[in-house]
Amino acid sequence: MAIEVITREDLNEFRTLLLSDLNAMFNSKPQQQKQWLKSTEVRKLLNISPGTLQNLRINGVLSYTKVGGIIFYAYADLQKVLETNKVEATPNLFNPKWLVR
């Protein structure tokens, strides 16, 4: 049975390799978003009920594609709807107007 001696240089090299591997893992691109989502995925993503999703379809707010009884939504369309309905925040709490009498 051979005994192997580990030196400080070996530990430093191991640390450097470990840190570079961890850094590569954390800086890697996240999993790419699916292009088409089913109704259940959209409802989970937006935290809405089936009726609300149906209203969005009926009112023409959210476009969809129906294939064989399954409704699909384009992820890009969801982003577009969210962006067009975005309401910009107006900070009123720290607005100096309310301090002036």
Side-chain angles (χ1 to χ4, degrees), residues 90-99:
T90 54
N92 291 329
L93 181 61
F94 299 106
N95 194 344
K97 290 181 187 176
W98 68 276
L99 293 174

Side-chain angles (χ1 to χ4, degrees), residues 33-39 41-46 48 53 56 61-64 72-85:
Q33 181 64 39
K34 291 176 16 179
Q35 184 180 359
W36 293 96
L37 303 172
K38 292 183 180 179
S39 294
E41 296 169 317
V42 173
R43 287 191 294 114
K44 285 180 185 177
L45 186 65
L46 299 178
I48 58 175
L53 185 56
L56 292 174
V61 174
L62 190 56
S63 59
Y64 63 95
F72 293 96
Y73 304 87
Y75 184 77
D77 289 344
L78 289 171
Q79 286 181 316
K80 186 168 50 173
V81 167
L82 290 173
E83 193 61 40
T84 57
N85 291 296

Side-chain angles (χ1 to χ4, degrees), residues 10 15 22 28-29 38 58-59 76 79-80 84-85 99:
D10 294 335
R15 181 182 64 101
L22 288 173
S28 66
K29 289 186 177 181
K38 292 183 180 179
I58 290 170
N59 295 330
Q79 286 181 316
K80 186 168 50 173
T84 57
N85 291 296
L99 293 174

